Amino acid sequence: MNVKKNMSGNDEWAVEAQGLVKKFGNNHAVDGVDLHVRPGVIYGVLGPNGAGKTTTIRMLATLLRPDAGSAKIFGYDVVKDPQIVRQLIGVTGQYASVDESLTATENLVIFSRLLGLGRAEAKKKSSELLEEFSLTEAAKRPLKNFSGGMRRRLDLAASLIAQPPLIFLDEPTTGLDPRTRNQMWETIRRLVKSGSTVLLTTQYLQEADELADRVAVIDRGRVVAEGTVDELKMSVGNASLQIRIKDRQALNSARQIVEKVLQAPSVILPEAGRITAPMAEADRVTDLLIAMREAEIKLAEVSVQKPSLDEVFLTITGHKAEASQKTESLEKSGEMKQ
Amino acid sequence: MINNSMVPVSKRQLKKNSGLGQTVRNSLTMAYRGLLKIRRTPEQLFDVTLQPIIFTLMFTYIFGGAISGNVQSYLPVIIPGILVQTVITTSIVTGVQLREDMDKGVFDRFKSLPIARIAPLAGALLADTIRYTIATVLTFAMGYIMGYRPDGGLGNVIFAGVLVIVCSWAMSWIFAFFGVIARTASSVQGISMLVLFPLTFLSNAFVPVKTMPGWLRWFANVNPVSHLITAVRHLTNSGSVGWDFAATLIGAAVVVIIFAPLTVRAYMRRT
């Protein structure tokens, strides 16, 4: 039962999602997500914990049935043709989706056999992949003794057995040390060079910056911004300015000065006496410091930072990223109950 | 291997459904996984090794004198009874382990692979027949040590053993269903016990049915477990195959026909 060429599949969009919705009880984990991903790119889905990133990926990967909306992978509908979609994707979840009690080799051989490889082929493929991901030495050890980084690498290796044209990576570097994280980034870049499309989720703007060609910012189950990383950053300013003032009483008047001089919205952290605001032009800092002195506000600290997800969020959504962390636990418990 | 041999989507041969051949291959691979897991954690075989030994010893010496006059003449009655009870009890573990297994991340991968949907379940259930085999062999061995010499001969004893294993595999679909719908492994154990106790004890496993009150006798007579036990007794003690044998196989088939699709459907929904 081979599906003929161009019957319904196409190479125009790797991912095409319209108004995806998923509810867990009363909690709208995903509340109308639209995504369009061209083949051959790294596409980043950026958002804080509980924004709905994982739920979105699970729906696209046929692991979860959407309550509303539709999604197509290379033109194949995830609800109508899930078995075809599964032949086109590789999924690496946030939590290692490999067998803890088995060895790395056994894991890869089993997945290879399930994907239709013969006994000898499966062995060959497994050892190739283990070598590719520098896991050869650990091949015979049970995964219980693996480090987090090794597990992630094995997990990714398992997703590549069938050389799927689309790979989902759910927070591929969360919890990895900087060196392992850089290795993972290298691997992801090579994947795309070989012709794959990668859709990854991340909490870190820096990661999206390093890897992604395009980014969708997702918040409370909705896409709130979409574009290239540069476009996204321009909306926030290239860097953000942090000011800590000595006298907390003056926090509000200081904030007014900041917003007036930098002409941008700011965030205040009252406990720390800190104000953060995007800084489009470094020159303005001089003006700001002069204005502060004129207003007789004493500063404890001034620093400039690269924009963080927080600032992107603030600018795009008008609320702080942490605000939606509460929904994370809800989403998780909701998912368990399904 | 990461190389430049990526096949474009339009050139791929994509299958809409998994055929029978693939279903069987996938299930066998999943069974292989189950066997590997048993080999890695042999301690999970404690129950199937100890239960046949303890139950056979206990029940034979407790009931032997009272029911059949002496232990020796009770053995042909009790060994098939214990065998069926033990092996079916073992099949509960299938559901419990399936529940534990499904909570692990690896099941997400199985679901995202283009494999037959039934394979992860069928494979787990198939691998567990190794447990039933161990329990069967040990029960017969225990009986032999205690002096049980079945008149049906070795061939029929093996045949009876296979019948019990096949029926337990069929029964394990019921517990697999509980395993898939329940929230925790311990609740699977609980529900399964509630089903299992009446089925195994309200049967002809330990005592002659004629000593029971009428309503209970009625249940014990229609109970599929009784048919299985009678079929095993006929096979081991006289080497004969009768209506009970056929009734057992029909019962097993009905259980699988009802519970296999139910379980797979529940498994697919539970994500």
Side-chain angles (χ1 to χ4, degrees):
Chain A
M1 267 201 285
N2 292 331
V3 175
K4 288 231 177 70
K5 210 164 99 175
N6 298 331
M7 202 179 85
S8 56
N10 69 59
D11 288 338
E12 195 196 346
W13 293 109
V15 178
E16 199 183 354
Q18 291 287 352
L20 280 183
V21 173
K22 186 75 203 177
K23 285 176 276 190
F24 296 117
N26 287 327
N27 175 32
H28 288 246
V30 173
D31 197 9
V33 161
D34 298 334
L35 280 180
H36 289 87
V37 181
R38 291 235 179 252
V41 302
I42 303 183
Y43 194 93
V45 174
L46 184 68
N49 278 332
K53 303 189 296 289
T54 302
T55 311
T56 304
I57 283 213
R58 289 179 67 88
M59 285 191 281
L60 294 177
T62 75
L63 295 173
L64 209 57
R65 182 182 268 268
D67 291 331
S70 70
K72 284 180 178 164
I73 305 295
F74 292 107
Y76 293 102
D77 193 284
V78 295
V79 177
K80 288 190 204 113
D81 290 316
Q83 201 68 354
I84 292 184
V85 169
R86 290 179 195 122
Q87 291 164 62
L88 298 170
I89 60 170
V91 189
T92 297
Q94 207 168 333
Y95 308 98
S97 34
V98 283
D99 225 315
E100 293 281 304
S101 51
L102 305 184
T103 68
T105 307
E106 286 165 348
N107 263 295
L108 292 181
V109 167
I110 286 172
F111 296 136
S112 304
R113 299 277 290 153
L114 285 173
L115 286 164
L117 270 62
R119 208 170 297 235
E121 270 179 294
K123 281 225 172 88
K124 190 165 155 262
K125 189 85 192 172
S126 306
S127 60
E128 277 173 10
L129 281 167
L130 288 171
E131 194 163 331
E132 171 83 33
F133 286 86
S134 350
L135 290 165
T136 307
E137 283 161 55
K140 299 255 180 293
R141 276 194 278 154
L143 297 195
K144 282 175 200 139
N145 312 322
F146 270 41
S147 70
M150 288 159 80
R151 242 174 254 216
R152 285 290 169 83
R153 292 211 300 275
L154 179 66
D155 212 344
L156 184 52
S159 306
L160 302 183
I161 293 167
Q163 297 188 336
L166 174 62
I167 296 154
F168 293 109
L169 300 173
D170 196 8
E171 302 202 3
T173 62
T174 301
L176 297 188
D177 62 68
R179 201 177 63 92
T180 334
R181 190 193 56 192
N182 286 338
Q183 285 176 352
M184 186 61 97
W185 285 354
E186 241 354 274
T187 313
I188 295 170
R189 284 192 196 105
R190 268 188 298 149
L191 270 176
V192 173
K193 271 195 201 125
S194 76
S196 293
T197 310
V198 172
L199 192 151
L200 62 87
T201 69
T202 180
Q203 301 186 42
Y204 311 112
L205 183 63
Q206 194 206 350
E207 184 160 276
D209 199 357
E210 285 281 340
L211 291 173
D213 301 301
R214 282 188 88 83
V215 172
V217 180
I218 188 166
D219 177 49
R220 295 179 179 172
R222 285 218 172 98
V223 175
V224 290
E226 208 267 352
T228 65
V229 178
D230 284 340
E231 286 167 358
L232 205 63
K233 279 209 246 165
M234 295 233 286
S235 70
V236 194
N238 288 320
S240 72
L241 180 73
Q242 286 200 357
I243 297 173
R244 204 151 62 80
I245 60 169
K246 277 186 178 155
D247 182 10
R248 309 253 165 100
Q249 305 290 316
L251 203 57
N252 272 325
S253 44
R255 183 186 190 177
Q256 278 165 11
I257 297 171
V258 169
E259 294 196 348
K260 204 176 109 201
V261 177
L262 296 182
Q263 290 176 341
S266 64
V267 209
I268 50 170
L269 272 174
E271 320 84 60
R274 197 180 328 146
I275 304 168
T276 307
M279 186 181 69
E281 293 162 57
D283 280 353
R284 294 251 174 97
V285 180
T286 325
D287 299 342
L288 180 68
L289 294 179
I290 293 168
M292 287 289 188
R293 173 173 288 174
E294 276 167 2
E296 292 184 345
I297 295 170
K298 299 263 189 233
L299 302 179
E301 197 185 306
V302 178
S303 64
V304 176
Q305 287 189 337
K306 289 271 175 206
S308 66
L309 182 56
D310 262 10
E311 272 97 25
V312 174
F313 254 80
L314 176 80
T315 318
I316 295 167
T317 66
H319 71 86
K320 296 192 67 184
E322 290 101 289
S324 37
Q325 277 191 349
K326 252 182 245 159
T327 49
E328 182 200 21
S329 52
L330 277 174
E331 183 181 332
K332 287 224 174 99
S333 61
E335 225 164 317
M336 300 277 191
K337 277 179 211 144
Q338 288 303 299
Chain B
M1 214 79 244
I2 301 176
N3 53 31
N4 291 320
S5 63
M6 179 65 58
V7 184
V9 175
S10 53
K11 299 235 170 63
R12 284 175 185 245
Q13 301 235 310
L14 300 167
K15 282 189 241 150
K16 215 170 157 73
N17 292 301
S18 35
L20 183 65
Q22 196 201 345
T23 306
V24 172
R25 270 198 310 279
N26 290 162
S27 303
L28 288 176
T29 305
M30 290 304 293
Y32 167 71
R33 166 180 176 267
L35 290 182
L36 276 179
K37 280 179 83 99
I38 292 178
R39 214 174 67 189
R40 280 290 131 68
T41 45
E43 60 270 22
Q44 53 162 298
L45 292 177
F46 268 151
D47 61 330
V48 292
T49 41
L50 292 179
Q51 198 178 320
I53 298 172
I54 294 170
F55 275 25
T56 312
L57 272 175
M58 229 168 53
F59 284 112
T60 310
Y61 287 112
I62 293 173
F63 297 137
I67 294 165
S68 299
N70 61 56
V71 167
Q72 201 55 40
S73 50
Y74 188 45
L75 279 172
V77 179
I78 186 71
I79 293 297
I82 290 274
L83 175 71
V84 170
Q85 197 222 14
T86 304
V87 180
I88 288 182
T89 309
T90 305
S91 67
I92 285 188
V93 181
T94 302
V96 176
Q97 281 184 348
L98 195 62
R99 171 75 268 141
E100 284 173 352
D101 216 13
M102 276 176 60
D103 288 334
K104 290 179 185 143
V106 70
F107 260 73
D108 267 358
R109 184 173 297 285
F110 294 143
K111 279 185 204 144
S112 75
L113 291 177
I115 56 172
R117 297 293 93 189
I118 198 174
L121 299 168
L125 268 57
L126 204 57
D128 271 346
T129 54
I130 196 87
R131 306 165 57 86
Y132 313 151
T133 309
I134 295 172
T136 305
V137 170
L138 281 176
T139 309
F140 276 130
M142 222 30 226
Y144 189 83
I145 292 169
M146 292 166 76
Y148 176 47
R149 300 289 179 271
D151 296 331
L154 183 64
N156 279 315
V157 167
I158 293 173
F159 189 31
V162 172
L163 177 68
V164 173
I165 292 167
V166 168
C167 290
S168 299
W169 176 81
M171 284 285 284
S172 70
W173 278 104
I174 301 178
F175 305 120
F177 177 65
F178 293 149
V180 172
I181 60 168
R183 276 191 207 183
T184 61
S186 57
S187 63
V188 180
Q189 179 99 26
I191 312 169
S192 305
M193 279 300 191
L194 275 180
V195 175
L196 197 78
F197 265 112
L199 274 180
T200 52
F201 280 97
L202 305 184
S203 73
N204 59 0
F206 304 105
V207 294
V209 173
K210 60 179 188 287
T211 60
M212 297 177 184
W215 57 274
L216 194 57
R217 198 183 313 157
W218 173 82
F219 181 80
N221 278 329
V222 296
N223 186 350
V225 172
S226 297
H227 288 293
L228 174 58
I229 292 167
T230 310
V232 172
R233 278 182 190 146
H234 285 164
L235 271 171
T236 53
N237 298 331
S238 61
S240 61
V241 170
W243 157 243
D244 287 295
F245 181 82
T248 305
L249 284 185
I250 293 169
V254 167
V255 167
V256 175
I257 288 167
I258 294 174
F259 278 91
L262 267 181
T263 311
V264 174
R265 244 185 65 188
Y267 165 70
M268 287 311 297
R269 278 191 180 193
R270 201 193 157 102
T271 29

